[in-house]
Amino acid sequence: MSILNLLHAVVVAQRAESLTPSQIQDLQQSRFRKLLRHALEKSRFYQRYYQEHGITGRDIDQVEPDDLPVIDKRIVMENYDELVCDPTLKRDEIERFVRESPDPSSRYKGAYKVIHTSGSSGTAGLFVYGPRDWAVAKALGYRAIREKVNPFRRKKLAYMGAAGGHYASVTTISDIPSVFFKTLTLSISHPLEQICRDTDRFQPDAVIGYASGLDLLAREQMAGHLRIVPRRIWSSADPLTQTIRANIEKAFGVSPTNIYTASEIMTFSVECDLHHRLHYFNDWFSIQVVDDDLAPVERGQTGRMVATNLYNYTQPLIRYRMDDEIVLSDEPCPCGWPFPVIERIAGRNEETLWFARADGTREARGLKKFQFVQTDPDRLIMKAVLDGERASVIPAIHKRMTEILSPKGLEKTVQFEVEPVDQIRNDPKTSKFRLVVPYRDK
């Protein structure tokens, strides 16, 4: 049944790619109202929450997404047992499953895929997908990689990231049907010698993984410790910076494709091959971009993303405020793909420190890698792996930080210092690189 669900979802996803933007918008609206009707019938939380805001089942045909109140991770977790549409799903039991069954290929109650977050944003989250929900999530993943499959010549796919737990990436990889791909899972926490040895032996046709993990592979390839010739490389999870992109291209002669994923919405957006612009799949997602007061912002302006996952009927997320800040483009992409464009993900790809050259261009001179650690509400340490003379690099960093803090009136209230280090390890819980470690996590 799961294979049939998946094949049907793949066919539906492929059909949408031939629609016009206006047809996709109509499809989105139809799916939005169907999901809203389902949530009001099956979820005690949405029944109560919307009634408190003057919305009932009679309003489904007239209400617009902007009319609905916003929810967030805290609200979801505090009302979990009432929000889900299957009354047999209980938060405490699912949390026990995550603790006791860390194998990402395992299913809760033999049917449900569970995705959890580490709580790096302040609140841990649980997101459960039923069989049909999960089939659509996987179909959008296949749409993102745009790779034809041949059961008579299975391609070899290596994954580099967290190898255990129910995180989004590894759970998705572990559930790829063997008829589509032969897969190798590489734990980013394993010794590099072992990773290189296993990858060389496997000789993948394609590689997917955390940007920080792909960067490690690229550096090992350039150092001569790895010798693989992948035709496609996909990056997800932590930010794909320009430096990492350049390393991958230099090491493998392949331009990586950035895939935007999140536990709440799974595969949401992907770069097109022609122009490397992020297209988001608005046939299965409805999004708004808002300011701090939840008012819509104009296209081209930065705002917080509020998303509705239109296919998760098990745990509906309707107008769910994400941690990510994005900028939507008001111009279609010349590639011809009908899906709208995200101009920039401002919240994930945090501003990189830069230093001005004499000709006015920018470079991160002498700075190989860095991480901000907030040790107190008014104290910030920048761990920095330096590639240059400290006497010149550190003052330049301080100067740039003053320029960043001054417009906010923080240059005199925030204590900032640079701590030179030999290396910065990925987060031990998620295996992702964390650019910012906020005070609440200390």
Side-chain angles (χ1 to χ4, degrees):
M1 180 62 71
S2 61
I3 287 291
L4 293 178
N5 286 339
L6 176 58
L7 292 175
H8 177 262
V10 168
V11 170
V12 171
Q14 288 176 338
R15 280 193 203 134
E17 296 188 61
S18 63
L19 299 178
T20 66
S22 61
Q23 288 174 325
I24 291 179
Q25 194 66 33
D26 291 342
L27 180 60
Q28 180 199 90
Q29 285 295 311
S30 173
R31 287 171 172 167
F32 168 75
R33 300 197 187 285
K34 184 178 178 182
L35 176 69
L36 184 59
R37 182 175 288 107
H38 171 79
L40 282 169
E41 289 176 355
K42 301 294 185 180
S43 169
R44 290 174 293 165
F45 165 77
Y46 281 112
Q47 293 167 4
R48 170 176 51 80
Y49 193 57
Y50 286 166
Q51 191 170 27
E52 291 172 354
H53 290 80
I55 299 169
T56 66
R58 295 188 298 271
D59 304 307
I60 289 176
D61 293 331
Q62 290 77 39
V63 71
E64 296 296 329
D66 290 354
D67 298 328
L68 299 175
V70 168
I71 62 174
D72 56 25
K73 193 186 297 183
R74 179 187 60 81
I75 291 175
V76 169
M77 296 308 296
E78 288 179 354
N79 298 274
Y80 195 88
D81 291 359
E82 290 191 331
L83 184 143
V84 293
C85 293
D86 184 340
T88 67
L89 297 176
K90 303 297 181 184
R91 174 179 173 176
D92 58 345
E93 295 177 2
I94 298 172
E95 289 176 334
R96 187 181 308 116
F97 166 78
V98 169
R99 290 194 306 270
E100 297 177 357
S101 303
D103 181 355
S105 65
S106 60
R107 294 175 183 260
Y108 179 63
K109 293 183 179 292
Y112 297 98
K113 297 300 291 188
V114 177
I115 305 296
H116 72 86
T117 63
S118 62
S120 59
S121 62
T123 303
L126 290 172
F127 305 98
V128 176
Y129 296 81
R132 286 183 172 80
D133 312 330
W134 188 246
V136 177
K138 290 171 65 176
L140 295 181
Y142 296 138
R143 174 195 280 175
I145 65 174
R146 299 187 296 283
E147 196 73 2
K148 294 182 179 179
V149 296
N150 182 350
F152 301 103
R153 200 288 188 191
R154 289 186 303 159
K155 294 177 181 177
K156 293 188 286 186
L157 174 66
Y159 160 75
M160 176 70 159
H166 295 269
Y167 297 111
S169 296
V170 68
T171 301
T172 302
I173 294 298
S174 69
D175 207 45
I176 292 178
S178 58
V179 70
F180 288 174
F181 289 98
K182 183 178 181 180
T183 59
L184 170 70
T185 296
L186 302 164
S187 173
I188 200 170
S189 62
H190 282 171
L192 274 175
E193 295 82 358
Q194 178 183 341
I195 291 173
C196 290
R197 186 171 58 252
D198 292 344
T199 309
D200 262 334
R201 187 181 300 119
F202 188 66
Q203 284 297 309
D205 301 302
V207 181
I208 189 170
Y210 296 175
S212 54
L214 298 176
D215 189 41
L216 285 174
L217 292 180
R219 292 176 184 274
E220 291 301 296
Q221 178 96 349
M222 288 187 287
H225 304 148
L226 182 65
R227 294 176 180 83
I228 60 173
V229 191
R231 294 185 303 102
R232 295 293 301 269
I233 296 177
W234 301 283
S235 170
S236 65
D238 43 12
L240 178 62
T241 65
Q242 290 303 316
T243 298
I244 294 177
R245 186 186 289 274
N247 284 343
I248 292 171
E249 291 178 351
K250 182 178 180 180
F252 302 112
V254 175
S255 180
T257 298
N258 196 17
I259 301 177
Y260 175 17
T261 63
S263 302
E264 299 93 332
I265 52 181
M266 300 303 291
T267 303
F268 169 74
S269 178
V270 66
E271 288 179 338
C272 61
D273 289 334
L274 292 179
H275 301 281
H276 289 295
R277 302 187 74 190
L278 274 170
H279 294 253
Y280 72 89
F281 299 145
N282 63 324
D283 55 337
W284 281 113
F285 301 99
S286 171
I287 70 170
Q288 296 82 41
V289 184
V290 302
D291 60 21
D292 291 339
D293 297 321
L294 301 181
V297 304
E298 298 291 332
R299 283 182 177 263
Q301 295 183 344
T302 302
R304 184 70 64 85
M305 184 170 73
V306 174
T308 300
N309 181 330
L310 296 174
Y311 62 79
N312 192 339
Y313 276 59
T314 303
Q315 184 180 331
L317 298 178
I318 303 174
R319 294 213 78 205
Y320 177 91
R321 182 167 55 189
M322 306 280 291
D323 293 321
D324 306 66
E325 292 183 343
I326 66 172
V327 179
L328 293 180
S329 173
D330 57 0
E331 297 180 359
C333 181
C335 75
W337 227 16
F339 306 110
V341 172
I342 297 176
E343 192 65 40
R344 186 162 59 95
I345 303 172
R348 284 195 164 184
N349 297 321
E350 295 91 339
E351 285 296 326
T352 305
L353 286 181
W354 54 267
F355 306 103
R357 296 191 185 99
D359 62 1
T361 58
R362 299 175 177 182
E363 87 172 302
R365 175 173 48 83
L367 186 60
K368 294 176 63 177
K369 190 175 184 180
F370 61 92
Q371 180 183 66
F372 292 106
V373 181
Q374 185 183 16
T375 58
D376 288 292
D378 59 352
R379 187 166 183 264
L380 188 66
I381 292 177
M382 177 180 166
K383 294 185 176 182
V385 180
L386 304 178
D387 184 18
E389 292 295 331
R390 295 186 182 187
S392 60
V393 175
I394 292 178
I397 294 174
H398 275 280
K399 180 177 181 295
R400 177 59 182 147
M401 283 303 301
T402 300
E403 293 172 352
I404 292 172
L405 295 172
S406 292
K408 306 177 188 297
L410 298 174
E411 75 278 11
K412 294 182 180 179
T413 58
V414 174
Q415 301 177 49
F416 173 76
E417 64 181 88
V418 179
E419 178 186 331
V421 296
D422 293 330
Q423 62 177 326
I424 302 174
R425 298 186 181 278
N426 285 15
D427 187 288
K429 292 174 64 178
T430 66
S431 295
K432 297 179 185 178
F433 173 70
R434 297 185 66 184
L435 182 63
V436 178
V437 180
Y439 175 63
R440 62 173 174 263
D441 288 358
K442 298 299 291 176

